[in-house]
Amino acid sequence: MAVTIESLFGGTVAKFEQGDPPVDIAKLRTAHPEHWMRAAAIRTLTLDAVAAANSGHSGMPMGMADVATVLFEKHLKFDASAPLWHDRDRFILSAGHGSMLVYSLLYLTGYAEMPLEEVKNFRQMNAKTAGHPENFLLDGVETTTGPLGQGIANAVGFAIAEETLRARFGKKLQDHYTYCIAGDGCLMEGISHEAIALAGRQKLSKLIVFWDNNNITIDGTVDLSDRTDQPQRFKAAGWHVQEIDGHDPEAIDAAITAAKNTGKPSMIACKTHIALGHAQQDTSKGHGALTDADQMKAAKEAYGWTAAPFEVPAEIKAQWEAIGSRGREERAAWEARLDEQSDRRKAEFARTFAGEAPNKLSSVIRALKKQISESAPKVATRKSSEMVLEVVNPVLPETIGGSADLTGSNNTLTADMGTFDETNRKGRYIYYGIREHGMAAAMNGMALHGGVRPYGGTFFCFTDYARPAMRLSALMQVPVTYVMTHDSIGLGEDGPTHQPVEHLAICRATPNTLTIRPCDTVETAEAWEIALTSQKTPTVLALTRQGLPTLRKDHKVKNLVAQGGYVLADSDGKRQAILIATGSEVEIAMKARDILQEAGIGTRVVSMPCMELFAEQDLAYRRKVLPAGPVRVGVEAGARAGGWDKLLLGERGREQKQAFVGLDRFGASAPIDELYEKFGITAENVVAQVKALLA
Amino acid sequence: MAVTIESLFGGTVAKFEQGDPPVDIAKLRTAHPEHWMRAAAIRTLTLDAVAAANSGHSGMPMGMADVATVLFEKHLKFDASAPLWHDRDRFILSAGHGSMLVYSLLYLTGYAEMPLEEVKNFRQMNAKTAGHPENFLLDGVETTTGPLGQGIANAVGFAIAEETLRARFGKKLQDHYTYCIAGDGCLMEGISHEAIALAGRQKLSKLIVFWDNNNITIDGTVDLSDRTDQPQRFKAAGWHVQEIDGHDPEAIDAAITAAKNTGKPSMIACKTHIALGHAQQDTSKGHGALTDADQMKAAKEAYGWTAAPFEVPAEIKAQWEAIGSRGREERAAWEARLDEQSDRRKAEFARTFAGEAPNKLSSVIRALKKQISESAPKVATRKSSEMVLEVVNPVLPETIGGSADLTGSNNTLTADMGTFDETNRKGRYIYYGIREHGMAAAMNGMALHGGVRPYGGTFFCFTDYARPAMRLSALMQVPVTYVMTHDSIGLGEDGPTHQPVEHLAICRATPNTLTIRPCDTVETAEAWEIALTSQKTPTVLALTRQGLPTLRKDHKVKNLVAQGGYVLADSDGKRQAILIATGSEVEIAMKARDILQEAGIGTRVVSMPCMELFAEQDLAYRRKVLPAGPVRVGVEAGARAGGWDKLLLGERGREQKQAFVGLDRFGASAPIDELYEKFGITAENVVAQVKALLA
């Protein structure tokens, strides 16, 4: 394919393909006139909204308007009056910058949440029509996209959810497709590799991805940076592939139909022209905001569009609204089938999709806590986590667990889960492979779909790989659970590439994220209870590789981790020192306390498994746990930047003598005890710090 | 391919391939007896070292010993007595857990830094033989690996470096290959997709990757999580592919020879048996530490190995040392060729590989600073960065710039750089495509190779995608520069998916990383000067999308950013308040100061472009800049967790009235001014905070 690349930065524009005849817009218009006008509505609304905002991305919706129109008109199972219908097909725009495509569709088909006013307010303060589509602003937006590659990886999760729920509740209640539009950017991102390979391996045959094959990225033509043969790539991953003209509604229709019955995930390569019909068609400028009034006018003329800005002729609007209500009968039939179910099944279905934990959860947690407080085992908290999952998974049938190829290390597999794959959709354990990022994004997709509560594991250090998806978990407000083991230098000889230092800081700095680092099995059980009852917040569990003693030997029904931090052991005698510790270092703090008490220094130990939850407690409680007066020493095998200044220096800027025993540098490869010794994270050093502060 | 998958967790082991005859070790031994014994030395040293440490990964080196032996014996251009010879071939172990492979090779070939003692000390405190190979501990380790996928992505950078340096200095001085061993894990990671596609597009024909095709990952056989047709995948990305028996030295030799002349990057799929010859051969257990004494004994017997643990028969050691000195003549010839060069060229070559900045750098920076202080333009700091690069790139011929498809937004391209690709190896600009992670890892590879000073851009929020590689930049001590633009809500309507909040916190929490957020063009120039003279520390530049006034109008030769923080404007009258701000918020602080001074409140403004550098200043300086007494207000459009507690509360825990004006939640999609208003990051609010503290 000989492509003329004339760089944007040389002042000229990139060409679609040398030798290709220019697009004959008139021919497109007349070939399928009614379709054309429906699609033109998307194109013109996009142009108008972006121009009004003087900001945004015009070209992508203009390029994929035909595909979207055919999809919505002929295939997508949905009902605009019921955006959250549990058996709707899912439509995901991985190329999230093309948000006006979604917004146009929601408006045209008649979603109540998308009146014209919102379209006109595109990208303005308080509008639901944010620059990139946000799931928490609009019911009609399945997932928040913008960061490229995330949507297609979420789509894998949506497809997994459909499979598992169909296995659970039957085809009559769960039988839908997941459609996803992805662009060249998405397909260059590494996460797309993970998503595509996982979907192929899992034979997710109800996943259909449209590749917006427009040959354009921001910096120029795709060829500037990539020459991957996408069809061959997808085939290599086990996908079914078709290549079509992305502006031919008949071809689009036939391809979607064919895609539904291949037994594999399906990719439809749609050859398109970005900013079709506009002067910037097929250029990287066409990717961005097309605001030139004359050019917009000319494009509309080319479309045969005569309505005023933001106006859609009544006839065309009516056609779109008919599309929006096309699924009403099917939904009514579905509602009827749901209603025919037993009360118990209906309740379970509702509970599952509402993300509400069953009553049994708290009782099994409580029973486990009691048993642990009595037997007081010494186990790594990754093992504690497994013990919790062993009692939880049987009573929470909606959990789907997995690991990025560290199942034995993350302890994420429990008895009788069964492996989820194409031979066993009732399986509840997914072998994600070495795909931390793809796993996290799939988990997001599952949670967003509803009816599934996913958890996934890897080494805590490799949250780095999953980072963009973990941020989106927080932004999108999905209650996924990250089981992150080997959480410090405590992992020993694997060394600094594997030893987290700043990772607690990273997770704690991310808004809407609970980072819980439990000190023993009881705290781990409480942490899981919090994670599994969360509705809008993801949880990161930081768990040890190494064994820890049970410190919570005094059984309490109350979930103390829910307070974020609490007094584990108070001082004997006048309180001169407060030790604040998390996870594996709580044991160290308790040992230090023993030594200090022996020396007559009254010492309180505060376990602080979750700083975010502690910060949410009222001031009175926080002052009760951390009163002014005593010196404070924090102990955590991680960076001080992980929220310790606030806890140690005190929030009020009053005088506070304090010290931190932790690790602000990369670790080293050696056995665990030598590492703790080397870095001074020992009871002896904590004692020395206290004494120095009291001197 | 019918594979018997018997899960590790069912208590049985996974099989290589149903129907495959078991491996005939005796046949392998006799087919190439001398080669076999050389390779056996690697296998037995690996077994012994891992067993002694009771920790590590035995199987991978045992699987790839034949490939490594042939590579080192017949192809790798190197001299064990000169590990840093600039024209050596590079050998990278992407499957870093197989570190004993590298260590065995370094010991056997006679690297002075790898006496037997170090091998015996594998994974012990202070050993150079860390769990995963670390470049800063051993000259013979080209790059630190362990986190999967990084090595192969670094390898792309090494190959790019060779191409660019060959174009610069000629084939007589730079002509070598980059060899990389990657496993299934590396190839599942998303970053491998980015690396492979980039290498294919760039036709990096001197990059040769060996795929350790052993069908095993930690959780079981590869099939459990992946069915990607790797050869087809690589071909789709433009690579040359061969498939061989990884235990046949003749086939290995022929494949490497063939791989050198394809005009494309080359992948050699080596079918191997993990833990060859051991009872755990072809099992996931074989991936880990094989310490059972009886099984080890049996394996050695199978190998025909009779020497005691850690002992290598003199004859075999001699063969290996001959391999290690095989390149001595070639290196001598190279040294002679280097010596023949003009003094100027030799000096330039030396300077370039030493990573030292030329004298001209400081003078062009100084001249620019002066010119900017005089003309006082109002520009976004991303534009400032471009202005700096415009004067720097001509005097620093070793810079290689690029962007992950945001060239126009990151302002990373300057005049006359030329595009680096297969038609122009003298080009100094790389269009990385939408591959933030691959870009960062390639930059690491380039820097590690030596002779190249890379910088690359994306949106600051998408440091999330590059995170694992950015951490490695710090761990490996490579002075790459990350040009991260659109650094806050200041980017406006693109919204919360694009607006950094916690990213300064993340970068600042990472050890050995300079995070610089300049307030104007003068500070940007100083930041670049720091970045370009750094030897062992990566720099992250956080730059704005929006225009900023020049605040440093009083020209100073001294690099004030190098102090981390400094007084930009002192108080008129008694100093009652200190405002600490960074980047775009320094302007806000200065406006607040105007208002406060007007109200008779003496206010100092401290610009704090780099907290790490400030922390390195002596206590006297820090107290001079931030004396106790005045109230303190911090201003930064980011999370307080970004190091602000320490600056505001004071390090000594003395009483300190303070407040922070920033953003601890996700942003929103709206025009910039409305966002700053909405989130209260305004001069008025800063003033209000000061007054409240003084009340």
Side-chain angles (χ1 to χ4, degrees), chain B residues 551 569-570 572 579 587-601 603-605 683 687:
Chain B
L551 296 172
D570 213 340
D572 281 333
L579 309 180
E587 178 188 15
I588 289 174
M590 292 294 276
K591 283 186 180 153
R593 178 184 176 280
D594 286 344
I595 300 170
L596 287 162
Q597 290 285 164
E598 195 82 16
I601 299 171
T603 301
R604 162 183 283 188
V605 171
V687 167

PDB file of all heavy atoms in Angstrom, chain B residues 551 569-570 572 579 587-601 603-605 683 687:
ATOM      1  N   LEU B 551       7.512  34.993  34.539  1.00  0.00           N
ATOM      2  CA  LEU B 551       7.627  35.545  35.895  1.00  0.00           C
ATOM      3  C   LEU B 551       9.088  35.851  36.241  1.00  0.00           C
ATOM      4  O   LEU B 551       9.376  36.694  37.072  1.00  0.00           O
ATOM      5  CB  LEU B 551       7.037  34.560  36.907  1.00  0.00           C
ATOM      6  CG  LEU B 551       5.531  34.329  36.741  1.00  0.00           C
ATOM      7  CD1 LEU B 551       5.038  33.210  37.647  1.00  0.00           C
ATOM      8  CD2 LEU B 551       4.743  35.600  37.032  1.00  0.00           C
ATOM      9  N   ALA B 569       9.451  36.056  44.914  1.00  0.00           N
ATOM     10  CA  ALA B 569       9.165  37.435  45.286  1.00  0.00           C
ATOM     11  C   ALA B 569       9.042  37.484  46.807  1.00  0.00           C
ATOM     12  O   ALA B 569       8.282  36.713  47.394  1.00  0.00           O
ATOM     13  CB  ALA B 569       7.857  37.906  44.640  1.00  0.00           C
ATOM     14  N   ASP B 570       9.810  38.354  47.436  1.00  0.00           N
ATOM     15  CA  ASP B 570       9.742  38.398  48.887  1.00  0.00           C
ATOM     16  C   ASP B 570       8.681  39.385  49.332  1.00  0.00           C
ATOM     17  O   ASP B 570       8.099  40.122  48.523  1.00  0.00           O
ATOM     18  CB  ASP B 570      11.103  38.732  49.483  1.00  0.00           C
ATOM     19  CG  ASP B 570      11.300  38.028  50.820  1.00  0.00           C
ATOM     20  OD1 ASP B 570      10.287  37.622  51.431  1.00  0.00           O
ATOM     21  OD2 ASP B 570      12.451  37.868  51.268  1.00  0.00           O
ATOM     22  N   ASP B 572       6.937  42.617  50.992  1.00  0.00           N
ATOM     23  CA  ASP B 572       7.162  44.028  51.324  1.00  0.00           C
ATOM     24  C   ASP B 572       6.645  44.190  52.736  1.00  0.00           C
ATOM     25  O   ASP B 572       5.481  43.945  53.010  1.00  0.00           O
ATOM     26  CB  ASP B 572       6.348  44.946  50.392  1.00  0.00           C
ATOM     27  CG  ASP B 572       6.998  45.117  49.046  1.00  0.00           C
ATOM     28  OD1 ASP B 572       8.247  45.003  48.972  1.00  0.00           O
ATOM     29  OD2 ASP B 572       6.263  45.351  48.061  1.00  0.00           O
ATOM     30  N   LEU B 579       3.547  31.916  50.349  1.00  0.00           N
ATOM     31  CA  LEU B 579       2.800  31.111  49.388  1.00  0.00           C
ATOM     32  C   LEU B 579       3.808  30.244  48.640  1.00  0.00           C
ATOM     33  O   LEU B 579       4.804  30.741  48.129  1.00  0.00           O
ATOM     34  CB  LEU B 579       2.050  31.999  48.397  1.00  0.00           C
ATOM     35  CG  LEU B 579       1.188  33.106  48.996  1.00  0.00           C
ATOM     36  CD1 LEU B 579       0.513  33.910  47.887  1.00  0.00           C
ATOM     37  CD2 LEU B 579       0.140  32.530  49.952  1.00  0.00           C
ATOM     38  N   GLU B 587       1.697  31.763  39.016  1.00  0.00           N
ATOM     39  CA  GLU B 587       1.034  32.998  38.567  1.00  0.00           C
ATOM     40  C   GLU B 587      -0.096  33.360  39.528  1.00  0.00           C
ATOM     41  O   GLU B 587      -0.274  34.519  39.901  1.00  0.00           O
ATOM     42  CB  GLU B 587       0.476  32.799  37.149  1.00  0.00           C
ATOM     43  CG  GLU B 587      -0.275  34.009  36.617  1.00  0.00           C
ATOM     44  CD  GLU B 587      -0.992  33.746  35.299  1.00  0.00           C
ATOM     45  OE1 GLU B 587      -1.146  32.571  34.922  1.00  0.00           O
ATOM     46  OE2 GLU B 587      -1.392  34.733  34.653  1.00  0.00           O
ATOM     47  N   ILE B 588      -0.844  32.351  39.921  1.00  0.00           N
ATOM     48  CA  ILE B 588      -1.948  32.579  40.853  1.00  0.00           C
ATOM     49  C   ILE B 588      -1.406  33.076  42.189  1.00  0.00           C
ATOM     50  O   ILE B 588      -1.968  33.996  42.808  1.00  0.00           O
ATOM     51  CB  ILE B 588      -2.753  31.277  41.032  1.00  0.00           C
ATOM     52  CG1 ILE B 588      -3.531  30.975  39.738  1.00  0.00           C
ATOM     53  CG2 ILE B 588      -3.710  31.384  42.213  1.00  0.00           C
ATOM     54  CD1 ILE B 588      -4.244  29.642  39.736  1.00  0.00           C
ATOM     55  N   ALA B 589      -0.318  32.484  42.631  1.00  0.00           N
ATOM     56  CA  ALA B 589       0.281  32.907  43.899  1.00  0.00           C
ATOM     57  C   ALA B 589       0.745  34.363  43.810  1.00  0.00           C
ATOM     58  O   ALA B 589       0.588  35.144  44.763  1.00  0.00           O
ATOM     59  CB  ALA B 589       1.448  31.994  44.261  1.00  0.00           C
ATOM     60  N   MET B 590       1.309  34.720  42.680  1.00  0.00           N
ATOM     61  CA  MET B 590       1.778  36.101  42.523  1.00  0.00           C
ATOM     62  C   MET B 590       0.601  37.084  42.530  1.00  0.00           C
ATOM     63  O   MET B 590       0.689  38.175  43.103  1.00  0.00           O
ATOM     64  CB  MET B 590       2.582  36.243  41.224  1.00  0.00           C
ATOM     65  CG  MET B 590       3.914  35.495  41.245  1.00  0.00           C
ATOM     66  SD  MET B 590       5.101  36.165  42.452  1.00  0.00           S
ATOM     67  CE  MET B 590       5.821  37.517  41.479  1.00  0.00           C
ATOM     68  N   LYS B 591      -0.487  36.681  41.930  1.00  0.00           N
ATOM     69  CA  LYS B 591      -1.678  37.549  41.945  1.00  0.00           C
ATOM     70  C   LYS B 591      -2.198  37.679  43.376  1.00  0.00           C
ATOM     71  O   LYS B 591      -2.589  38.760  43.820  1.00  0.00           O
ATOM     72  CB  LYS B 591      -2.773  36.963  41.037  1.00  0.00           C
ATOM     73  CG  LYS B 591      -2.531  37.189  39.570  1.00  0.00           C
ATOM     74  CD  LYS B 591      -3.724  36.704  38.712  1.00  0.00           C
ATOM     75  CE  LYS B 591      -3.418  36.972  37.227  1.00  0.00           C
ATOM     76  NZ  LYS B 591      -4.101  36.055  36.321  1.00  0.00           N
ATOM     77  N   ALA B 592      -2.193  36.545  44.072  1.00  0.00           N
ATOM     78  CA  ALA B 592      -2.640  36.578  45.460  1.00  0.00           C
ATOM     79  C   ALA B 592      -1.742  37.505  46.281  1.00  0.00           C
ATOM     80  O   ALA B 592      -2.215  38.263  47.144  1.00  0.00           O
ATOM     81  CB  ALA B 592      -2.642  35.172  46.046  1.00  0.00           C
ATOM     82  N   ARG B 593      -0.468  37.424  45.998  1.00  0.00           N
ATOM     83  CA  ARG B 593       0.472  38.286  46.712  1.00  0.00           C
ATOM     84  C   ARG B 593       0.151  39.758  46.497  1.00  0.00           C
ATOM     85  O   ARG B 593       0.182  40.573  47.433  1.00  0.00           O
ATOM     86  CB  ARG B 593       1.901  37.983  46.256  1.00  0.00           C
ATOM     87  CG  ARG B 593       2.968  38.867  46.916  1.00  0.00           C
ATOM     88  CD  ARG B 593       4.357  38.580  46.351  1.00  0.00           C
ATOM     89  NE  ARG B 593       5.333  39.501  46.929  1.00  0.00           N
ATOM     90  CZ  ARG B 593       5.509  40.746  46.516  1.00  0.00           C
ATOM     91  NH1 ARG B 593       4.763  41.229  45.528  1.00  0.00           N
ATOM     92  NH2 ARG B 593       6.426  41.522  47.099  1.00  0.00           N
ATOM     93  N   ASP B 594      -0.150  40.094  45.231  1.00  0.00           N
ATOM     94  CA  ASP B 594      -0.511  41.485  44.925  1.00  0.00           C
ATOM     95  C   ASP B 594      -1.669  41.924  45.812  1.00  0.00           C
ATOM     96  O   ASP B 594      -1.637  43.009  46.423  1.00  0.00           O
ATOM     97  CB  ASP B 594      -0.922  41.622  43.447  1.00  0.00           C
ATOM     98  CG  ASP B 594       0.284  41.562  42.520  1.00  0.00           C
ATOM     99  OD1 ASP B 594       1.431  41.721  42.994  1.00  0.00           O
ATOM    100  OD2 ASP B 594       0.071  41.330  41.301  1.00  0.00           O
ATOM    101  N   ILE B 595      -2.690  41.093  45.874  1.00  0.00           N
ATOM    102  CA  ILE B 595      -3.879  41.429  46.654  1.00  0.00           C
ATOM    103  C   ILE B 595      -3.534  41.542  48.137  1.00  0.00           C
ATOM    104  O   ILE B 595      -3.967  42.464  48.845  1.00  0.00           O
ATOM    105  CB  ILE B 595      -4.986  40.384  46.436  1.00  0.00           C
ATOM    106  CG1 ILE B 595      -5.386  40.328  44.949  1.00  0.00           C
ATOM    107  CG2 ILE B 595      -6.205  40.679  47.309  1.00  0.00           C
ATOM    108  CD1 ILE B 595      -6.297  39.170  44.584  1.00  0.00           C
ATOM    109  N   LEU B 596      -2.730  40.610  48.612  1.00  0.00           N
ATOM    110  CA  LEU B 596      -2.388  40.605  50.039  1.00  0.00           C
ATOM    111  C   LEU B 596      -1.513  41.807  50.409  1.00  0.00           C
ATOM    112  O   LEU B 596      -1.720  42.434  51.445  1.00  0.00           O
ATOM    113  CB  LEU B 596      -1.670  39.297  50.384  1.00  0.00           C
ATOM    114  CG  LEU B 596      -2.579  38.065  50.424  1.00  0.00           C
ATOM    115  CD1 LEU B 596      -1.773  36.780  50.343  1.00  0.00           C
ATOM    116  CD2 LEU B 596      -3.455  38.067  51.681  1.00  0.00           C
ATOM    117  N   GLN B 597      -0.549  42.095  49.561  1.00  0.00           N
ATOM    118  CA  GLN B 597       0.308  43.251  49.834  1.00  0.00           C
ATOM    119  C   GLN B 597      -0.514  44.527  49.859  1.00  0.00           C
ATOM    120  O   GLN B 597      -0.314  45.394  50.711  1.00  0.00           O
ATOM    121  CB  GLN B 597       1.436  43.355  48.789  1.00  0.00           C
ATOM    122  CG  GLN B 597       2.500  42.290  48.870  1.00  0.00           C
ATOM    123  CD  GLN B 597       3.483  42.459  50.030  1.00  0.00           C
ATOM    124  OE1 GLN B 597       4.200  41.547  50.397  1.00  0.00           O
ATOM    125  NE2 GLN B 597       3.504  43.642  50.615  1.00  0.00           N
ATOM    126  N   GLU B 598      -1.443  44.587  48.922  1.00  0.00           N
ATOM    127  CA  GLU B 598      -2.349  45.727  48.885  1.00  0.00           C
ATOM    128  C   GLU B 598      -3.058  45.880  50.233  1.00  0.00           C
ATOM    129  O   GLU B 598      -3.336  47.004  50.690  1.00  0.00           O
ATOM    130  CB  GLU B 598      -3.379  45.493  47.771  1.00  0.00           C
ATOM    131  CG  GLU B 598      -4.182  46.696  47.346  1.00  0.00           C
ATOM    132  CD  GLU B 598      -3.434  47.584  46.362  1.00  0.00           C
ATOM    133  OE1 GLU B 598      -2.414  47.107  45.787  1.00  0.00           O
ATOM    134  OE2 GLU B 598      -3.840  48.736  46.156  1.00  0.00           O
ATOM    135  N   ALA B 599      -3.353  44.745  50.851  1.00  0.00           N
ATOM    136  CA  ALA B 599      -4.047  44.758  52.157  1.00  0.00           C
ATOM    137  C   ALA B 599      -3.051  44.849  53.309  1.00  0.00           C
ATOM    138  O   ALA B 599      -3.400  44.647  54.464  1.00  0.00           O
ATOM    139  CB  ALA B 599      -4.893  43.501  52.302  1.00  0.00           C
ATOM    140  N   GLY B 600      -1.791  45.135  52.977  1.00  0.00           N
ATOM    141  CA  GLY B 600      -0.790  45.311  54.016  1.00  0.00           C
ATOM    142  C   GLY B 600      -0.278  44.023  54.630  1.00  0.00           C
ATOM    143  O   GLY B 600       0.365  44.038  55.687  1.00  0.00           O
ATOM    144  N   ILE B 601      -0.522  42.911  53.983  1.00  0.00           N
ATOM    145  CA  ILE B 601      -0.047  41.629  54.514  1.00  0.00           C
ATOM    146  C   ILE B 601       1.200  41.219  53.745  1.00  0.00           C
ATOM    147  O   ILE B 601       1.127  40.831  52.568  1.00  0.00           O
ATOM    148  CB  ILE B 601      -1.135  40.547  54.387  1.00  0.00           C
ATOM    149  CG1 ILE B 601      -2.371  40.974  55.211  1.00  0.00           C
ATOM    150  CG2 ILE B 601      -0.617  39.193  54.849  1.00  0.00           C
ATOM    151  CD1 ILE B 601      -3.592  40.104  54.989  1.00  0.00           C
ATOM    152  N   THR B 603       3.819  39.296  52.071  1.00  0.00           N
ATOM    153  CA  THR B 603       3.694  37.932  51.537  1.00  0.00           C
ATOM    154  C   THR B 603       4.884  37.577  50.668  1.00  0.00           C
ATOM    155  O   THR B 603       5.260  38.311  49.759  1.00  0.00           O
ATOM    156  CB  THR B 603       2.417  37.824  50.687  1.00  0.00           C
ATOM    157  OG1 THR B 603       1.282  38.154  51.497  1.00  0.00           O
ATOM    158  CG2 THR B 603       2.248  36.408  50.145  1.00  0.00           C
ATOM    159  N   ARG B 604       5.461  36.432  50.955  1.00  0.00           N
ATOM    160  CA  ARG B 604       6.546  35.914  50.132  1.00  0.00           C
ATOM    161  C   ARG B 604       5.971  34.857  49.209  1.00  0.00           C
ATOM    162  O   ARG B 604       5.140  34.046  49.620  1.00  0.00           O
ATOM    163  CB  ARG B 604       7.623  35.291  51.023  1.00  0.00           C
ATOM    164  CG  ARG B 604       8.579  34.345  50.311  1.00  0.00           C
ATOM    165  CD  ARG B 604       9.579  33.719  51.266  1.00  0.00           C
ATOM    166  NE  ARG B 604      10.636  34.661  51.625  1.00  0.00           N
ATOM    167  CZ  ARG B 604      11.734  34.335  52.320  1.00  0.00           C
ATOM    168  NH1 ARG B 604      11.903  33.079  52.733  1.00  0.00           N
ATOM    169  NH2 ARG B 604      12.641  35.238  52.621  1.00  0.00           N
ATOM    170  N   VAL B 605       6.447  34.844  47.966  1.00  0.00           N
ATOM    171  CA  VAL B 605       6.067  33.759  47.060  1.00  0.00           C
ATOM    172  C   VAL B 605       7.299  32.905  46.787  1.00  0.00           C
ATOM    173  O   VAL B 605       8.332  33.413  46.348  1.00  0.00           O
ATOM    174  CB  VAL B 605       5.494  34.274  45.723  1.00  0.00           C
ATOM    175  CG1 VAL B 605       5.329  33.108  44.729  1.00  0.00           C
ATOM    176  CG2 VAL B 605       4.155  34.963  45.946  1.00  0.00           C
ATOM    177  N   ALA B 683      -6.666  33.122  42.915  1.00  0.00           N
ATOM    178  CA  ALA B 683      -5.952  34.056  43.782  1.00  0.00           C
ATOM    179  C   ALA B 683      -6.847  34.477  44.951  1.00  0.00           C
ATOM    180  O   ALA B 683      -6.390  34.606  46.092  1.00  0.00           O
ATOM    181  CB  ALA B 683      -5.496  35.265  42.977  1.00  0.00           C
ATOM    182  N   VAL B 687      -5.977  34.107  48.895  1.00  0.00           N
ATOM    183  CA  VAL B 687      -6.031  35.261  49.800  1.00  0.00           C
ATOM    184  C   VAL B 687      -6.920  34.952  51.000  1.00  0.00           C
ATOM    185  O   VAL B 687      -6.556  35.213  52.151  1.00  0.00           O
ATOM    186  CB  VAL B 687      -6.555  36.509  49.046  1.00  0.00           C
ATOM    187  CG1 VAL B 687      -6.918  37.614  50.032  1.00  0.00           C
ATOM    188  CG2 VAL B 687      -5.518  36.995  48.051  1.00  0.00           C
TER     189      VAL B 687
END
